[in-house]
């Protein structure tokens, strides 16, 4: 997933996802033309949950997720830490499941010291 997107890029990405969801629902309804309102609603609800999860990921991960040009300082030894990778974890929310990401830093000077996410 791309990181640090501008607001307009995040918005465009969301609109693309919403459009895809709508098109999928159209296709589903084409294949289930006898579906009741409740069945259509149920299908829409399931897809809405996926869409909301993706929306939240865009909204949160598209902003600052902890990467710093100037690496943070180790709280144990005072040396500069090194960026290792982005770590992801799944949050099961009320509206959808979202994979959040945070920058993960380690200290190469003291044993396995980590800071996750780095905070001042
Ligand atoms: Zn250290």
């Amino acid at each position: 997933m791309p990181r640090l997107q501008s607001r307009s890029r995040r918005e465009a990405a969301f609109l693309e996802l919403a459009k895809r969801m709508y098109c999928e629902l159209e296709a589903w309804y084409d294949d289930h033309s006898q579906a009741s309102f409740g069945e259509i609603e149920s299908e829409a609800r399931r897809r809405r949950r996926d869409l909301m999860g993706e929306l939240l990921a865009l909204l949160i991960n598209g902003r600052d997720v902890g990467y710093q040009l100037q690496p943070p300082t180790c709280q144990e030894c005072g040396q500069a830490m090194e960026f290792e990778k982005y770590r992801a974890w799944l949050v099961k929310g009320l509206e959808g499941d979202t994979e959040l990401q945070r920058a993960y830093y380690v200290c190469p000077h003291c044993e396995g010291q980590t800071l996750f996410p780095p905070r001042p």
Side-chain angles (χ1 to χ4, degrees), residues 74 76-77 107 109-110 113:
C74 176
E76 296 296 320
C77 71
C107 177
H109 308 287
C110 62
Q113 189 59 235

